Amino acid sequence: MRLLSSPRLPSLRHILLATAILGTLVASNVQAQQEPTTQSVVVEASRLTQIGIADSASSGTITQKQLDARTVYRAGELLEATPGLIVSQHSGEGKANQFYLRGFNLDHGTDLRTTVDGMLVNQRSHAHGQGWSDLNFMIPELATRLDYRKGPYYAEEGDFSAAGAVSVRYADTLPQGIASVGIGSNGFRRTLLADSPVVGDGHLLYALELFHNDGPFVIGDDYRKVNGVLRYSAGTADNGFHVSAMAYHGSWHSTDQIPLRGVTDGSINRFAGIDPTDGGSAHRYSLSGEWHRATDDTSTSISAYLIHNRLDLFSNFTYFLDDPVNGDQFAQPDKRVTAGVNATQAWRTTLLGHESENKIGLQLQNDNIFNGLYSTVARQTLSTTRDDHIVESSAGLFIENTTRWTEWFRTTAGLRSDFFRFDVNSKFNAANSGTASDSKLSPKLSLVFGPWAKTEYYVNVGGGFHSNDARGSTITVDPKTGAAADKVPPLVRSTGFEVGVRSEIIPGLQSSLSVYQLDFDSELTFAGDAGTTEAGRASRRTGFEFSNYYKPTNWLTIDADVAFARARFRDADVIGARIPGAIEGVASLALAVDNLGPYFGALQLRYFGPRPLIEDNSVRSHSTATLNGRIGYKISRNTKIEFEGFNLTDRRDSAIDYYYASRLPGEPAAGVNDIHFHPIESRSFRVSLNTMF
């Protein structure tokens, strides 16, 4: 345990003043020259310029070239290309990742809306955690771009998007076929084969990935996954369609978080677990399609998807606290079929004589869910806590208008309406069955000033929401104790405000600074480990993000990002005002080298700072830093070899920390309050041979 005092964060007023001064200095020291608005173009730095396009300083696009330059230990870490976003893991590799952004510990995806090819990855009313976002089905080599948006300022983004939204797009075609074979430390093995030959009037893209990894753990993860993609596309970027089928299956052993006291006294190995039978399996099968058409003045897009997900998860976080004889292992099975339709129509027009564009959209989704919570020992069921059938349906309608009022001022105004309906059939306890519904109206407004001297200024305000677990909206009886339980509202309001500046005044450098405030009516969470819902207190997060992308030469690119957030409950309570697990400081530095003859390489430093683990801030986590890198050699035009290293300094940091009571054999029946952590992986290496054909 380490007790630290929190650094003093400047007030929002002071940060806003600093932002205004920065903008004034830039405008006054450089000749104010009007910059015409143009379509997106690729700058020399291989990043899409956002001047004249973006509605905020905290949105952007990561290109395929930038994604290819990243060194990732696991597929979900591809999302760390988003400035300020940390992707971690607190258990076996097959579980959904843990996410941190803008002062949030987002658990497995709450308040970070994630889509792949238009399909929502977040799973609603999930057995283990609301918004569960399992990205293990993603194949990084197929990702052609990543778009990110932060804050509740975008009418197109609905549930889970209050902190941010990330969209990954897959390729329709590949420039060449890909064959890759990799081996490495701790049982790492990976094989990938992908191509997109011409079939008829289009292309048939196929990809097959085989993967295995044990990690550094005493009992290896033995994570085995198979990924497959089959996609037919035809037409052009303006007028065309694609139909895709994806399949993923994974199985693993979990080394869950362990108590710090056991590591400190030497009784538990840092990479050991407590329950050797923890683990799970998952599969995901999807069928999706998209049709789009564009003219000079209109564009239309319609997409639909059908997804079957299944998870069988066995965990034990408190060891022998609840059941000193059999242990506290529990199972959280979740099986669901998700169907969705998205449709948008955009058209250019004039408003009061000014250039204007309107956009309207409809988003429908239905989840048919079977999940539960069971007490188990060695993966064998002892008793049932919950057994539920949930049907969750939603409809979202949005309209948005963007108008350029002058050469230096434009606005984007939007309005979004969402309706949710929950139908819960609690088969174990009929008292927790029922129906609930809720709706939210969310206005959005963005003001953009400039560009002057290749610099734009932004003001954003908007409302958003996230859905709560359906079971919490109908609960009346605590499924473990039998005591009365309070229902919670299905949808939780969020409100955000942001100012920012984006500049490309220095050749080769793209910089953005944003200062934000985000309020939630309550921090609602469903405690999947206990089967109950807790309505938390109202909260506020205030912070800033500073992002830079620099291309000083044709062989070097530099990414440098820093962010800080102040997260507090807004009401007064003697237990304290800190939000447990809320991330504060984040920083990253990435260097990529290419065009040096046959050699290329990259180096990535990632840091996230100490966090409060309880409300009074008396217990805090340590900071975590990792240094990853790779070096490669181009054997020929189509063949290269890469050598990757992870945690090169072999730091003994945590991937995540919690503070709660648990009990090891021989300890008091009430348990011991302690920090529980999952370690980052020790230093490891991988080598891969990649051939284009």
Side-chain angles (χ1 to χ4, degrees), residues 187-198:
F188 170 79
R189 299 188 297 274
R190 183 177 187 255
T191 302
L192 173 67
L193 181 67
D195 197 8
S196 56
V198 175

Side-chain angles (χ1 to χ4, degrees), residues 185-374:
S185 309
N186 302 321
F188 170 79
R189 299 188 297 274
R190 183 177 187 255
T191 302
L192 173 67
L193 181 67
D195 197 8
S196 56
V198 175
V199 175
D201 295 330
H203 289 78
L204 181 64
L205 183 148
Y206 65 85
L208 176 64
E209 179 191 31
L210 306 177
F211 183 96
H212 178 270
N213 194 30
D214 286 325
F217 304 103
V218 173
I219 300 178
D221 280 343
D222 193 24
Y223 178 42
R224 303 169 183 266
K225 76 172 177 179
V226 179
N227 260 335
V229 175
L230 194 64
R231 181 187 193 111
Y232 184 78
S233 62
T236 66
D238 290 331
N239 298 282
F241 73 92
H242 66 74
V243 178
S244 302
M246 302 182 190
Y248 157 75
H249 182 271
S251 62
W252 64 93
H253 169 267
S254 292
T255 298
D256 286 333
Q257 62 256 26
I258 55 177
L260 180 61
R261 62 186 182 275
V263 178
T264 301
D265 66 21
S267 62
I268 301 175
N269 185 290
R270 180 177 178 82
F271 294 107
I274 306 300
D275 192 329
T277 63
D278 289 347
S281 63
H283 70 233
R284 179 190 184 276
Y285 308 127
S286 68
L287 180 65
S288 63
E290 180 183 3
W291 173 85
H292 53 270
R293 184 171 185 174
T295 66
D296 290 340
D297 296 318
T298 65
S299 65
T300 305
S301 175
I302 301 174
S303 64
Y305 53 88
L306 186 67
I307 309 171
H308 182 274
N309 276 293
R310 177 163 184 163
L311 173 72
D312 291 295
L313 183 64
F314 299 87
S315 308
N316 188 342
F317 301 141
T318 54
Y319 321 128
F320 293 93
L321 180 64
D322 296 331
D323 189 336
V325 177
N326 297 301
D328 298 349
Q329 188 185 75
F330 55 92
Q332 293 169 305
D334 190 285
K335 181 175 66 175
R336 67 183 58 212
V337 174
T338 300
V341 176
N342 301 318
T344 61
Q345 172 77 33
W347 66 97
R348 293 180 181 176
T349 183
T350 58
L351 179 63
L352 302 177
H354 300 280
E355 293 182 5
S356 185
E357 180 178 300
N358 294 316
K359 188 175 186 179
I360 189 170
L362 176 66
Q363 299 167 346
L364 305 174
Q365 184 169 315
N366 184 79
D367 295 275
N368 190 21
I369 308 163
F370 296 86
N371 61 26
L373 176 64
Y374 306 89

Side-chain angles (χ1 to χ4, degrees), residues 574-650:
V574 294
I575 66 173
R578 299 299 182 99
I579 302 175
I583 196 165
E584 295 176 343
V586 175
S588 65
L589 176 65
L591 310 177
V593 175
D594 203 351
N595 301 319
L596 287 178
Y599 297 98
F600 61 95
L603 201 63
Q604 295 171 208
L605 174 65
R606 182 190 71 166
Y607 167 88
F608 56 104
R611 303 167 299 286
L613 299 182
I614 58 176
E615 288 84 352
D616 66 5
N617 199 37
S618 62
V619 183
R620 292 176 62 84
S621 72
H622 290 263
S623 62
T624 298
T626 58
L627 181 66
N628 301 333
R630 69 173 174 174
I631 186 170
Y633 181 80
K634 301 171 186 175
I635 300 173
S636 67
R637 181 177 180 180
N638 294 323
T639 303
K640 61 183 179 181
I641 188 169
E642 297 183 28
F643 185 71
E644 295 177 297
F646 301 89
N647 190 13
L648 293 173
T649 57
D650 205 21

